[in-house]
Every structure is written in C-alpha cells, then in structure tokens.
C-alpha cells in the first residue's frame, strides 16, 4: 500500500526562473490539449475565463488562472484549467504541508483536465500536473481513466492496455521504479472506501516528487502530459462512431454518481483548491453535467 506521507524534502527552495519554467510548461500543455480536443467537435470550442485568487490574508496580488470549458456533441463537458497562485496558508492548513514549519508562504502552479464524454462507451479521463513551493518544493500529478460501462472496467480491455502502456513508457524512460510505484499509488488513491470499489481502471498518481534534479522532475511531468495528449484521443477515436443505447446511458449516469462521491469526499486537489482561495467554478468543474444515484 502506497501512502501520501509528508516527506522529508531538500531544504533549498525553487528559483523564480524555475517557477516560471514550470508555469510556462503547464500553460503550453493546456493550449495543446484544448486544440486537440476541439478537433473532435464540429462547432463547440473552449471558452476561456480568467480569474483572480481571493483569500485571507488579503493581498493586492495573489495570482489566479484561466478556466477553459467546452460543452459539445462529443464531450458533454470538458475542462482544461491552469492556475498559478501564491500567498499564505491558513494556520490549520499549513500543518499538513511540507516546508511550512517556519513560514506559511506558498506558491503553486498546475494544470487540471477532466473530460466527461457524452457517449457511455468513451471513458471519462482525468489528468493533473502541479508544482508546489514552500520552504521546499516538489512536483506531483498523474493521469487516470474511468470507463463508464461495467464490461470495460478491467485492465484486459484494449483501452486499458493502450492507456497503461503509454504511461509505463513515460515512467520507464525516467526511472524503472516509477511505473510500479505510481500505478499502485493511483489504485490506492482513486478508491472509494465507503463503496469498497475503485473509481476506474487506474493509471499513475504521484506526489512530493523531488529527486534532487528539478529539471528532470519537470521533464517527467511534461512527458506525462505529452503521453496523455497522444493516448486519450486514440481512445476517443476508437469509440466515437459506436452506437449506444439508453441502458448504457443509465449505467453511465450511475457511474458518474460514484465519480461525484469521490471528488467531493476524498479528492485532495478539490480540498486544496477550496481551502486556498481557488476558483470554485473551475474546481467543481470536475463534476459531470448529469449523474444519477437511482
């Protein structure tokens, strides 16, 4: 079992130039993802909405981000959001964050994607990459796949094989130990204890990554994003012309209900965003447009 423990990280903070480099990487990936997903739509395009962070204590500038949303024929709801925020953690929250022992100051930048396709046969997808800097700094993120139909919810399907093969390739390129560790971490993290079931068929999840070579850690994050950019459209293309029925739609809405439960009860990214003055609409855009508990 892999646990997200508070790590012992090197004490040297990240430089301002490295922070700018990480932010630029996330924003560049956002633009590529938006352009690629738009290729599946006839009319719909991503609508971008800038926002500014507001949190206590009040400061004139606390950063912000851009919320990019698309509602189309293929993707019932898709969000690709970037943010770069900074300021101070609340006294309650800073106790959970490495590097805040002496100062509550923080800086965080990242990208978050969630895609809820209209077709029950196209899996929901999630991808997140981020960098956080306090008195220390680290990277985290990952990507995971959530099929909506029970017959697709195993790692023997073509979708699962293609998805995991892509992520394994990225991990093996950087460290032969990454894939096994990060796959197990993903399976542990994206699990609903109250249902005793997995959210989907996994992928990779990692946090507190600081190998001592920041450029290499950022390169790994960029490669995870690039792999997702290649593999998820392949999965969409494999199912986009398949016919589906109302029974499959009902199964999809039921599975989406489980997705809502996880994101509201357990997701650390949701909690972090809401407690640090993030954009509520962007944070909760991970929820599907329609779901069912019947």
């Amino acid at each position: 079992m892999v646990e997200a423990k508070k790590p012992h990280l090197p004490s040297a903070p990240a430089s301002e130039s490295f922070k700018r480099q990480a932010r630029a990487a996330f924003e560049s990936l956002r633009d590529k993802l938006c352009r690629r997903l738009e290729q599946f739509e006839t009319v719909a395009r991503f609508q971008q909405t800038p926002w500014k962070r507001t949190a206590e204590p009040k400061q004139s500038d606390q950063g912000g981000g851009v919320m990019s949303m698309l509602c189309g024929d293929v993707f019932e709801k898709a969000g690709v959001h970037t943010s770069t925020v900074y300021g101070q953690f609340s006294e309650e929250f800073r106790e959970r964050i490495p590097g805040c022992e002496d100062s509550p100051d923080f800086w965080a930048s990242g990208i978050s994607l969630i895609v809820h396709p209209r077709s029950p046969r196209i899996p929901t997808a999630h991808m997140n990459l981020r960098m956080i800097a306090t008195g220390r700094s680290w990277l985290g993120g990952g990507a995971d796949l959530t099929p909506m139909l029970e017959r697709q919810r195993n790692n023997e399907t073509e979708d699962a094989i293609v998805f995991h093969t892509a992520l394994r390739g990225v991990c093996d390129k950087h460290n032969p130990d990454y894939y096994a560790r990060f796959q197990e971490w993903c399976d542990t993290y994206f699990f609903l204890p109250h249902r005793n079931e997995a959210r989907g068929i996994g992928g990779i999840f990692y946090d507190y990554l600081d190998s001592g070579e920041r450029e290499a850690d950022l390169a790994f994050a960029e490669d995870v994003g690039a792999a997702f950019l290649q593999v998820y459209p392949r999965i969409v293309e494999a199912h986009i012309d398949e016919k589906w029925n109302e029974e499959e739609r009902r199964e999809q809405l039921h599975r989406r209900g489980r997705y809502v439960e996880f994101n509201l009860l357990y997701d650390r990214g949701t909690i972090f965003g809401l407690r640090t003055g993030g954009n509520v609409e962007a944070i909760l855009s991970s929820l599907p447009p329609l779901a069912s508990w019947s």
Side-chain angles (χ1 to χ4, degrees):
M1 175 92 49
V2 180
E3 297 180 358
K5 294 181 179 179
K6 219 182 201 185
H8 175 72
L9 298 173
S11 58
S15 67
E16 292 303 314
S17 63
F18 187 77
K19 291 177 184 178
R20 290 192 295 271
Q21 183 180 347
R23 175 178 181 171
F26 299 144
E27 292 178 350
S28 174
L29 177 59
R30 173 200 62 202
D31 295 341
K32 293 174 183 176
L33 286 164
C34 288
R35 287 195 298 268
R36 183 66 181 96
L37 294 178
E38 284 178 342
Q39 292 176 2
F40 291 102
E41 297 288 348
T42 304
V43 177
R45 295 294 180 266
F46 278 94
Q47 302 299 311
Q48 294 194 331
T49 305
W51 58 272
K52 293 291 186 181
R53 176 177 181 263
T54 56
E56 297 292 347
K58 297 295 184 182
Q59 297 174 201
S60 58
D61 179 15
Q62 300 181 80
V66 175
M67 181 173 68
S68 303
M69 294 296 304
L70 179 150
C71 298
D73 294 328
V74 175
F75 304 119
E76 196 167 7
K77 183 180 183 183
V80 185
H81 313 311
T82 53
S83 64
T84 300
V85 297
Y86 32 85
Q88 294 186 342
F89 286 123
S90 66
E91 186 170 352
E92 173 190 7
F93 201 61
R94 73 185 67 162
E95 295 177 356
R96 309 179 187 182
I97 307 297
C100 289
E101 296 85 357
D102 300 319
S103 171
D105 293 341
F106 80 95
W107 177 97
S109 186
I111 178 172
S112 180
L113 171 146
I114 179 69
V115 179
H116 291 292
R118 190 175 301 275
S119 169
R121 299 192 176 195
I122 304 176
T124 285
H126 165 254
M127 191 273 299
N128 170 272
L129 300 168
R130 60 191 174 275
M131 174 182 166
I132 299 177
T134 56
R136 306 167 184 179
S137 62
W138 63 94
L139 286 101
D144 62 285
L145 200 66
T146 305
M148 296 288 108
L149 304 180
E150 189 61 34
R151 65 176 183 269
Q152 297 175 323
R153 291 175 58 77
N154 66 80
N155 285 332
E156 305 304 317
T157 67
E158 183 65 23
D159 291 344
I161 293 170
V162 167
F163 191 73
H164 279 274
T165 297
L167 294 177
R168 181 192 289 273
V170 172
C171 290
D172 289 350
K173 172 183 174 182
H174 289 266
N175 187 314
D177 297 329
Y178 276 0
Y179 180 72
R181 287 171 50 199
F182 297 162
Q183 182 193 23
E184 182 183 357
W185 201 340
C186 184
D187 290 344
T188 301
Y189 180 76
F190 291 107
F191 188 83
L192 287 77
H194 67 287
R195 298 286 188 184
N196 194 33
E197 65 183 34
R199 187 174 83 169
I201 58 168
I204 61 171
F205 177 86
Y206 66 99
D207 206 355
Y208 307 123
L209 180 63
D210 188 346
S211 67
E213 298 182 12
R214 289 199 175 110
E215 294 286 349
D217 294 342
L218 180 57
F220 173 64
E222 291 182 273
D223 284 349
V224 170
F228 181 89
L229 178 63
Q230 293 297 318
V231 73
Y232 185 61
R234 284 183 58 190
I235 294 171
V236 174
E237 288 168 347
H239 300 286
I240 194 169
D241 294 326
E242 294 178 356
K243 302 296 183 183
W244 49 272
N245 56 47
E246 286 305 311
E247 182 179 349
E248 291 174 328
R249 177 65 166 173
R250 286 192 293 271
E251 187 176 351
Q252 177 195 46
L253 297 183
H254 177 75
R255 181 55 55 187
R256 282 179 174 181
R258 297 289 205 268
Y259 207 92
V260 171
E261 291 175 15
F262 177 86
N263 281 27
L264 294 183
L265 292 174
Y266 305 114
D267 187 66
R268 288 163 51 198
T270 300
I271 296 169
F272 182 89
L274 293 176
R275 292 191 179 181
T276 56
N279 182 278
V280 174
E281 295 301 322
I283 295 165
L284 297 183
S285 72
S286 64
L287 305 182
L290 295 171
S292 172
W293 283 265
S294 60

